[in-house]
Amino acid sequence: MKKIKIPEISNGLFVLLLSFIISFVITFYFVKDNILSIFLAVAVSLIVFCLYSLYIRKKTGKLAIKREDEESYIKCVNAMCFLSREQCEKVIFDTLSSLNKNPVKTMGGITVENKFFYFKFSYDKITVTDIIRAYKKTPQSKNLCFIGVSFSQDCEDFINGFESRISLIPFSKFFPLIKKTGNIPDGGFLPKKRKAGFKSLLISSFSKKKIKPFTFYGLALIIMSNFVFFPIWYIISGCLFLIYAILIKFFAPPITSDTFL
């Protein structure tokens, strides 16, 4: 069963309220009848909300596929970081071999034609020192291809003066080849994520960034109370949103403050 997230509910209410107000104003301008305008506005807003729901479902499906790829990548990164250098070398060698690149194991790395593949898997970013160390191991007439999880900005700046002699290959670009050839190593894992409870969600909503959305919701509900049969609940809900926006305005910590202290 798909879990409904709070942002999806919030965006859905936004679409529903805004489409109702717009359609009511336009309809009332032409027909000059409150009841008919309300019914037509409700119908239009429901249609718009259904279209929004279909869009979210399609978008969520694409995100689920992307999330699956990201999870596979994270598992593979964790596995490679914990494997020995020989085991990592085997994964890369088997991948290149499956792609018919005819790799050859050499001292410190793997050669493919005029390329020398050097790798280092670590949670820390690759530094210029790592690049220089690998470059010294590169055989003559070979171009260095350094595979790493992530590279520091200094590395990017450093290789600019080497033209095609040094290439940085983020593991995120090499991973699809590993997946394609079926050489993903075992032992990968995903870090556990703590589920956000009601208290944490309430704390996260108590931010100055939320003033405008809550103010809009409050005003929209109060405006809608003039066009419905039971306005009291709209008025109460709208007032609660506005009161919460006022509390955030005066009591929420500044955005730039160090809230972690």
Side-chain angles (χ1 to χ4, degrees), residues 10-228:
S10 177
N11 293 335
L13 289 174
F14 175 81
V15 171
L16 193 63
L17 291 174
L18 199 61
S19 59
F20 176 84
I21 293 173
I22 293 173
S23 56
F24 176 83
V25 171
I26 295 175
T27 306
F28 184 78
Y29 177 80
F30 288 102
V31 302
K32 306 298 183 182
D33 188 304
N34 278 332
I35 296 178
L36 181 59
S37 298
I38 290 174
F39 279 112
L40 292 175
V42 169
V44 172
S45 59
L46 289 176
I47 293 172
V48 173
F49 181 77
C50 290
L51 293 175
Y52 165 78
S53 300
L54 292 174
Y55 167 76
I56 288 297
R57 180 179 297 181
K58 184 177 180 181
K59 182 180 178 182
T60 304
K62 292 181 179 178
L63 290 176
I65 296 173
K66 183 179 179 182
R67 191 180 301 113
E68 182 180 350
D69 290 338
E70 290 178 351
E71 289 179 353
S72 298
Y73 170 72
I74 293 172
K75 286 182 179 179
C76 189
V77 168
N78 289 327
M80 297 294 281
C81 287
F82 279 89
L83 292 178
S84 65
R85 182 170 182 81
E86 291 75 17
Q87 292 172 318
C88 290
E89 184 180 57
K90 184 178 186 304
V91 172
I92 296 175
F93 183 88
D94 291 344
T95 299
L96 295 173
S97 180
S98 299
L99 296 171
N100 298 320
K101 297 299 181 180
N102 300 319
V104 177
K105 293 183 180 180
T106 58
M107 184 66 67
I110 300 171
T111 58
V112 175
E113 297 178 349
N114 66 331
K115 296 180 177 64
F116 174 71
F117 286 89
Y118 186 90
F119 55 89
K120 180 180 179 181
F121 294 99
S122 171
Y123 292 108
D124 299 325
K125 290 187 176 182
I126 303 300
T127 64
V128 175
T129 302
D130 297 321
I131 301 297
I132 295 174
R133 186 180 296 115
Y135 188 76
K136 291 180 179 179
K137 296 181 180 180
T138 304
Q140 292 184 355
S141 73
K142 301 293 184 182
N143 298 323
L144 172 63
C145 296
F146 198 117
I147 303 174
V149 178
S150 60
F151 300 89
S152 66
Q153 185 59 47
D154 292 338
C155 290
E156 302 284 350
D157 299 336
F158 177 74
I159 67 166
N160 287 335
F162 287 85
E163 298 180 354
S164 61
R165 289 287 295 162
I166 300 178
S167 299
L168 303 182
I169 304 177
F171 188 63
S172 57
K173 292 184 177 180
F174 195 83
F175 169 72
L177 301 178
I178 296 178
K179 183 178 180 180
K180 177 182 178 181
T181 56
N183 289 299
I184 297 179
D186 297 327
F189 63 91
L190 287 174
K192 291 185 178 180
K193 295 182 179 179
R194 296 180 61 183
K195 294 183 178 179
F198 176 77
K199 183 178 179 180
S200 60
L201 291 174
L202 184 62
I203 293 174
S204 65
S205 70
F206 200 71
S207 169
K208 290 189 180 295
K209 294 181 180 179
K210 304 293 185 180
I211 293 177
K212 290 182 179 180
F214 284 132
T215 302
F216 172 82
Y217 294 148
L219 293 175
L221 287 170
I222 290 175
I223 293 172
M224 284 187 63
S225 67
N226 296 305
F227 312 117
V228 295

